[in-house]
Each structure stands twice: as C-alpha cells, then as structure tokens.
Amino acid sequence: MGLIRKDIKNIEAYKPGKPIEEVERELGIKGAIKLASNENALGPSPKALQAVKKALACLNRYPEGTCFYLKNKLARFLGVPEPNLIFGNGSDELIDIILKTIKEPGAEIITSEVTFVEYKICGAINGFVVKTIPMRNFTYDLTAIKKAISPRTKAIFIANPNNPTGTYVNSNQVTSFLEGIPKDILVVFDEAYFEYAADKDFPKLVRLINKKNIAILRTFSKIYGLAGLRVGYMIANSSLVAYAQRVRQPFNVNSLAQAAAAAALDDKAFVKLSKNLIKNEKKFLYDAFTELGIWFKKSAANFIFIRMNADTRKIFQELLKRGVIIREMNCYNMPNYARITIGTRQENIKLIKELKELEKVINIRGVDQ
Ligand SMILES: Cc1ncc(COP(=O)(O)O)c(C=O)c1O
C-alpha cells in the first residue's frame, strides 16, 4: 500500500495569482501592478490597520477561539444572533469546514463549471464526488443544477456573484431554485463579492437562514482589503454552526485578523470609497475594452471576465514582462479568456496602455459572442 491517498494524486493544487514580489524578482523589474486576485486596489481599511497596530502588543497570547468581540460586533452589524455566525481563516477555510462537517462516504456536491475552483479541490480532498454543471450564458444554470440533484447530493455551492465570470443569479431565480430542494441538502451561497453587487435584484438571503437549509459565506478579503490577514465568516442556522464549531481548529482566526475585521466593520468611509472606485473604474475599463474590441461580460463584482482573439496565456506572459499581472483562464481550459481585477485609475491606464502596445503585434480583438 502506498503512502499517499490515491484520490489525492489526481488533485491539482490551487494556483493563486502571481504575487508582485515574485514577478519583480523573476523579471528584474520594478513597479509591477497586480490585477489578478480580486484584491482591493485601495489597500487595507485604515481603521483595520490602526487596530492591528494596537493588537500587536498582545501577540504572546492565544486569540479568542470563538472570535468573541468580532462575533458580537458582526451580529449587530448584520442584525443576526451570534449563534448564527462562525469565522474561518478566510472563507476558503469555511468551505473546508462545511465539507468536513457534512461528509459521508460516497456523497456528492454540485457546483457549476467556470466557478471558484476551491469547491472542486476541497470537495475532492474531502472525498466527495464533485458534479460540475455547464453554465448558461456564463451564469450558474440553477435549473440544470436542480435537475442534477441525486439521493447522494449533500451540498450545492453557488458563488454569487460568480468568480471568474462576474455574473450573478437574481432574487427570483434563487427563490424558485430553493423551492423544493430537499431539506437535507445544504445550499451554500458564497458571497465573497456581495458588497460590490449593486443591482436591486441581487438576492437578500440573510433573512432565509432559519427558513431554508442555506449557508452564506462572506469575507473581509475583498471590500475591506484584508486578504493577507485571512478572515471570512458563515451565516447559517444555529445547528449547522454549532456542528461546524466542533470541526474547526481551536484558534483558526488569529488575533490581528480578529481586531482588524472588527475595526473594518466601522470603516464606512473606506467601504464607500471602494464601492465608488469599482463603479467608476468598471465603466472606464468597459469603455476601453470596447474601443480595443475586447469582448467582456458585465460584472457585478470587482473584476471583469474578458475574451480576446488570442491565446491569453501568451497575453499573460507579454503583460508580465511589462509589469502587469492578470489571470489567464487555463485552469478552465478557456484559452481565449482572462479575468482582470479592477485597479486604481493609474493601474487601469497602465493595463490599457500595455494592451494597446500589444495590439500592434498580436491581434487581440475579440470574436463575436
Ligand atoms: C468566490 C470566492 N469565494 C471565496 C474566496 C476566498 O476568499 P477568502 O480570502 O475569504 O478565503 C474567493 C477569493 O478569491 C472567491 O473568489
């Protein structure tokens, strides 16, 4: 018998966006910009930074395992009781905690193609059969997902808005989807980009946590600019939360992350600034892509899914040399597509300038959809 689990041998590790330092080191360049991981271009919330400085003096102590203060604050912020909340080392960890809490031999989870790859990776690591359902117009096809449910289905993962396509399923679609889903199936709505979703018909699901078997995942990594600290949370019925508490590591969210996240909730000015940046810069990039003949999908998040008439792996490499890091979509086997995180105006201008330069040597104009 070999040492390594057979099923692990088939799992491909998650490939994150290339870090700025790595690109600068490898290419011997300075001033690279990263538009690859849907981070906040404005940096971390200033209130969170202040709180981190204060919390540094207590690093000799273990953190509060239950995130006591943060939980209390978030409960008031969301208007939900504390037993409905649990925190994770990023929402990534909560995906794993959920799967560990519900796993059974032979069980399956369902998600979509062209979505956040962690559902697939984490599902496989936890021994689930992972069914991925094709999208419809780059959007989760909830009707097809519902049809794919079998007696072995334990959970359905829906990224809303979806990463990488930026599309969302609306309130009506979600309501009719949830109708008739068996009670023993957990529907996980991963709302990592929830704060950016400005459309009126975006689902408001918090009020459903005790009526339907749903869990909502959110994060401090995106709009609050705290990706480096790793803190996310789940809102769900108190029974699921209580079981998940048994599964998580005792000190899974570090003390700096807890202090920063609690302070970030008060940083209304920063949240507003971040939303405005995305709103304005999205328009700037839409216009620039249109001028360049690059196809894009309208996005409800802080990134844009684009298609060029060229192999984006090549474009990715060429842009890297020019100090611009984007995300090609090779992991989905979509060689003409890329995902661009919306940056500051200065960063977006640099991206467009470099694309215009590239256009002189590579035809990047997208074919019609
Ligand atoms: C849809 C989605 N869910 C979860 C995450 C992970 O977030 P966190 O940093 O909280 O682990 C990401 C990160 O890109 C994401 O796009």
Side-chain angles (χ1 to χ4, degrees), residues 283-294 348 352 356:
K283 166 121 188 24
F284 173 81
L285 285 176
Y286 285 168
D287 290 347
F289 291 149
T290 305
E291 194 193 322
L292 269 165
I294 292 175
N348 297 332
I352 298 303
K356 281 185 176 159

Side-chain angles (χ1 to χ4, degrees), residues 230-249:
R230 316 301 301 124
V231 50
Y233 59 93
M234 172 169 85
I235 319 166
N237 70 71
S238 55
S239 161
L240 176 67
V241 168
Y243 286 117
Q245 294 284 12
R246 299 184 188 184
V247 170
R248 70 167 174 82
Q249 293 290 318

Side-chain angles (χ1 to χ4, degrees), residues 14 37-38 89-93 95 116 119 159 161 163 190 192-193 219 221-222 230-232:
Y14 179 79
S37 297
N38 306 338
N89 194 255
S91 42
D92 274 349
E93 194 202 19
I95 296 168
F116 189 47
Y119 314 139
N163 172 12
D190 181 347
Y193 305 96
T219 181
S221 296
K222 307 298 176 183
R230 316 301 301 124
V231 50

Side-chain angles (χ1 to χ4, degrees), residues 185-205:
I185 294 178
L186 178 69
V187 184
V188 182
F189 291 92
D190 181 347
E191 297 188 336
Y193 305 96
F194 155 83
E195 293 88 351
Y196 293 113
D199 293 274
K200 284 210 170 63
D201 62 351
F202 189 81
K204 294 180 184 63
L205 298 175

